Amino acid sequence: MKKRTILLYSLLGLTTLGMFGCGKGFLEKNPQGELIEEQIEGKKGVEATLIGAYAIMNGNINGTWGNYGSAPSQWIFGEITSDNAHKGSVITDQPNMNMIESFTTISSNDNLSTMWQVYYEGVLRANTTLRLLTQDQSGSKTIKAERAKEIEGEAKLLRAHYYFFLWRVFKNIPYVDENTNIEDAKVIKNDKDVQPMIESDLKAAVANLPDSKINGEGGRMDQRTAKAYLGKLYLYQKKYAEALVLFKEVIGSRDITTMPFQDNYDVNKENGPEALLVAKHAINPDGGGDNANVGDMLSGLNGTNPVGCCGFYQPSIDLVNAYKVDANGLPMLDDSYRTNPYTSDILLTDKAAIANYKLDVNLRFDPRLDYTVGRRGVNFLDYGEFPGDAWLRPEEGSRPHGGPFTGIKTMIPKSQHAAHTQAGAAYVTDLDVNIMRLADVILMAAECEVELGNLPNALKYVNSIRLRAAKLPIKTTGGGVAAAKYEVKPYLAFTSPDQARKAVRFERRLELAMEGHRFFDLVRWGIAKDVIANYAKFEGGILPVFKSKAYADKNAYFPIPQEEINKSNGSLTQNQGY
């Protein structure tokens, strides 16, 4: 696998951009020399800048460490802020993440700066591609018209993605495109709504892209991706009818019950039928990991296990209990799942009691739990039985403050380490990240149907996800016994819009947990304050460090990085409340 590197001047001529090919398939390119913009005109140059724009999807400009705020999974902004996950590790490691988790962050937080700078880098690379494409098509036309149309669609969809991620985190952001000159860029304010420009780019992508991956190359943008993204934007705007039309076109006649849930996190089954928008990852031929999962590499196991690092991004106790099912195999939509909570061994204090802990295999769970969360007593991929503390990262002299659980979706089986991880650093992997997949679209379609009053249609969509979950192979203990009484059944009916709405929202949590959606869902539904308050009461009653977590209205968005305000000479203004 080969890495390509190109340096070129950005759209504004202010900095030099490091462009790195970022994945498998079409992103494998031979190394190139250092080039200035005049040397990359024509077909090869435009294609090269387009690949550079794709490269930012993994959240990395250059290097391995420090890209967590820009991770494509958005685990920092989309999950640890919610009721799904904790930052984990120890409190003193990456302390700025603690502030984001607890809604006490300030504008100098380095995770904010990383998010801002990396995704604006993506915007600039997309802009450069579009400007060079325009120059080519108005001049020598080295690119055929059909391919030029595709390139425009790819670049505009990438730009829309980068702006959407920035808007969702910061809301009030400056907008630059391929026609923005240097002087204008210096004084652009962040006082205009960027959603119309994102919508325009997505519509152009729908019009220009083919309905299947270009040259069959996984990771490329296509029309289905563009329609799904445009529908998602409409959903955020509560344009349910417009969104539903697009979601139905994306879903088509595809039967998700035939697409195994676990394949979405299998390094050997990437580019599958469910994948829509994917951050492609690769281990470089020289063994480096800057094209790998560098934004997500802190997540997962720590200690005496085959990975060895780093103990961040731990599923919450609340999330684990949300997977409980009632006697009918259905979720507990009334939050009664918090009654008699399952806490694994975290409340034990006696060393002998901790050592002798036995998993209760009689608890009733949705099987997706053990494909999302690692818990003590259950086999963890092919590593053997998860032992609890020995594979977690404890606070000095005490138990893990982030709880007894770890994540699975970002992990690679031990048998795949040699082929898919960085030598000597098994936490750096080439496992792709699904930013948007078919199940996400199906549940967004279900949400639209509920809001439009079509409950039978919503029921069909939700039940298709649940029927697929029912097919999951059971997980076992180290002794080969089923690790729970697994059961997931379809709903017989939705009896009211309120019940249907709760069911759809709960299903999104179960299906998409630890994939970066939860906090943004809570905000757009307008329920973040109540959900976080109830969560802090429950979670804080078990792990006191989380009792003080409180959401205020200003926390729907994060502060603009102070260093960006300082560099703007007064053009950028801080978000209200910060």
Side-chain angles (χ1 to χ4, degrees):
M1 196 162 295
K2 298 179 179 179
K3 181 182 82 169
R4 62 176 292 285
T5 303
I6 291 182
L7 298 180
L8 69 158
Y9 293 106
S10 73
L11 166 68
L12 304 178
L14 300 176
T15 60
T16 301
L17 307 182
M19 288 197 166
F20 297 86
C22 71
K24 294 158 265 190
F26 76 98
L27 295 177
E28 296 175 1
K29 299 293 176 181
N30 292 322
Q32 303 291 323
E34 184 172 321
L35 306 173
I36 61 174
E37 191 170 299
E38 289 77 7
Q39 294 175 291
I40 57 172
E41 295 175 349
K43 185 178 188 301
K44 289 185 178 180
V46 173
E47 294 283 9
T49 60
L50 177 62
I51 291 173
Y54 270 104
I56 291 298
M57 287 186 68
N58 88 325
N60 181 31
I61 298 175
N62 188 11
T64 302
W65 297 94
N67 300 277
Y68 323 120
S70 56
S73 69
Q74 289 288 275
W75 65 278
I76 291 178
F77 296 107
E79 293 289 354
I80 69 171
T81 46
S82 77
D83 49 353
N84 273 1
H86 304 309
K87 170 252 188 179
S89 182
V90 295
I91 293 176
T92 55
D93 194 349
Q94 298 293 327
N96 286 344
M97 292 182 187
N98 299 325
M99 291 190 289
I100 290 178
E101 180 175 6
S102 62
F103 300 113
T104 58
T105 191
I106 56 177
S107 59
S108 60
N109 193 301
D110 61 337
N111 295 287
L112 300 173
S113 298
T114 300
M115 177 70 191
W116 184 282
Q117 292 166 7
V118 169
Y119 283 94
Y120 267 112
E121 174 88 354
V123 167
L124 292 175
R125 294 185 185 190
N127 286 343
T128 301
T129 301
L130 290 166
R131 192 179 69 258
L132 292 174
L133 177 64
T134 298
Q135 292 173 2
D136 179 85
Q137 293 300 286
S138 62
S140 56
K141 288 186 171 62
T142 64
I143 303 171
K144 293 182 179 180
E146 181 180 359
R147 178 59 189 143
K149 184 179 178 182
E150 292 174 344
I151 292 172
E152 180 186 353
E154 289 179 88
K156 287 188 173 179
L157 182 45
L158 284 164
R159 183 169 67 184
H161 167 62
Y162 297 137
Y163 270 127
F164 182 82
F165 264 34
L166 286 163
W167 168 78
R168 200 168 58 169
V169 170
F170 298 109
K171 185 179 181 180
N172 299 302
I173 58 175
Y175 186 85
V176 295
D177 63 18
E178 71 272 25
N179 300 311
T180 307
N181 63 47
I182 295 174
E183 295 307 313
D184 288 342
K186 291 178 180 178
V187 295
I188 287 179
K189 298 181 179 297
N190 60 332
D191 58 354
K192 293 182 179 179
D193 185 3
V194 301
Q195 292 178 85
M197 287 79 88
I198 296 173
E199 180 180 352
S200 177
D201 273 353
L202 292 172
K203 286 181 174 178
V206 170
N208 288 2
L209 290 172
D211 61 4
S212 59
K213 301 296 182 186
I214 297 167
N215 299 325
E217 295 168 332
R220 287 276 189 184
M221 301 298 182
D222 61 17
Q223 190 179 81
R224 287 179 63 224
T225 308
K227 287 181 176 179
Y229 222 131
L230 181 57
K232 185 170 188 172
L233 178 66
Y234 286 154
L235 182 64
Y236 270 68
Q237 298 169 339
K238 303 189 186 306
K239 297 178 180 178
Y240 301 115
E242 294 94 327
L244 183 58
V245 170
L246 293 162
F247 293 148
K248 284 183 174 180
E249 291 175 358
V250 173
I251 297 166
S253 60
R254 293 174 176 84
D255 181 4
I256 198 166
T257 66
T258 66
M259 306 173 192
F261 174 84
Q262 64 271 32
D263 286 3
N264 290 296
Y265 323 103
D266 188 333
V267 72
N268 293 311
K269 295 181 180 178
E270 294 171 337
N271 307 317
E274 193 174 344
L276 286 169
L277 184 65
V278 179
K280 303 295 293 180
H281 292 148
I283 302 299
N284 301 341
D286 61 3
D290 56 353
N291 290 323
N293 69 330
V294 293
D296 294 291
M297 67 184 190
L298 297 185
S299 63
L301 305 176
N302 189 79
T304 58
N305 62 78
V307 176
C309 182
C310 295
F312 287 72
Y313 195 22
Q314 293 182 248
S316 69
I317 294 171
D318 190 80
L319 173 64
V320 171
N321 280 270
Y323 283 95
K324 287 180 180 176
V325 296
D326 64 18
N328 298 312
L330 295 173
M332 301 175 185
L333 302 183
D334 60 357
D335 292 349
S336 59
Y337 65 82
R338 290 175 175 151
T339 303
N340 299 319
Y342 161 65
T343 59
S344 188
D345 62 1
I346 197 64
L347 294 180
L348 301 177
T349 56
D350 180 77
K351 289 184 178 180
I354 295 171
N356 293 325
Y357 168 83
K358 298 296 182 183
L359 178 72
D360 183 354
V361 298
N362 293 309
L363 296 175
R364 303 169 64 90
F365 281 121
D366 183 315
R368 284 172 291 186
L369 167 64
D370 289 321
Y371 287 86
T372 303
V373 176
R375 57 193 184 101
R376 184 172 176 184
V378 184
N379 282 324
F380 187 95
L381 299 177
D382 60 353
Y383 296 8
E385 184 178 304
F386 182 67
D389 286 12
W391 288 7
L392 298 171
R393 190 172 179 185
E395 290 290 342
E396 186 174 352
S398 63
R399 307 291 303 283
H401 90 276
F405 306 115
T406 192
I408 291 181
K409 288 182 175 180
T410 61
M411 305 301 292
I412 283 182
K414 180 171 64 173
S415 59
Q416 300 299 314
H417 283 186
H420 297 284
T421 68
Q422 182 176 327
Y427 49 90
V428 180
T429 81
D430 64 3
L431 179 64
D432 294 344
V433 168
N434 284 299
I435 298 171
M436 194 184 307
R437 57 186 177 88
L438 185 59
D440 182 11
V441 172
I442 289 172
L443 291 171
M444 288 192 289
E447 185 176 335
C448 291
E449 295 281 22
V450 170
E451 301 306 329
L452 294 170
N454 304 319
L455 302 192
N457 291 345
L459 181 71
K460 289 179 182 178
Y461 283 133
V462 171
N463 280 345
S464 70
I465 301 299
R466 296 186 63 74
L467 289 169
R468 194 259 293 266
K471 295 182 177 182
L472 276 167
I474 64 169
K475 286 294 186 86
T476 61
T477 67
V481 176
K485 291 187 178 300
Y486 296 114
E487 189 171 17
V488 54
K489 294 286 184 65
Y491 290 92
L492 296 180
F494 287 156
T495 57
S496 69
D498 184 59
Q499 184 226 4
R501 189 175 294 112
K502 287 180 179 179
V504 171
R505 292 175 177 181
F506 211 98
E507 202 66 30
R508 280 189 67 80
R509 188 183 190 191
L510 300 177
E511 175 71 17
L512 302 171
M514 310 296 282
E515 296 185 38
H517 302 277
R518 179 63 173 172
F519 176 71
F520 302 116
D521 281 345
L522 296 177
V523 169
R524 68 182 178 83
W525 291 331
I527 62 174
K529 183 177 291 186
D530 288 343
V531 169
I532 296 302
N534 292 332
Y535 162 70
K537 182 178 180 180
F538 170 78
E539 198 84 4
I542 301 168
L543 303 173
V545 69
F546 302 108
K547 185 176 295 185
S548 61
K549 180 168 181 167
Y551 175 97
D553 290 342
K554 72 173 185 177
N555 298 130
Y557 303 98
F558 295 85
I560 306 297
Q562 189 60 45
E563 65 177 289
E564 301 300 329
I565 293 176
N566 295 343
K567 289 188 294 186
S568 76
N569 295 316
S571 295
L572 300 181
T573 57
Q574 186 55 270
N575 284 336
Q576 189 172 359
Y578 291 103

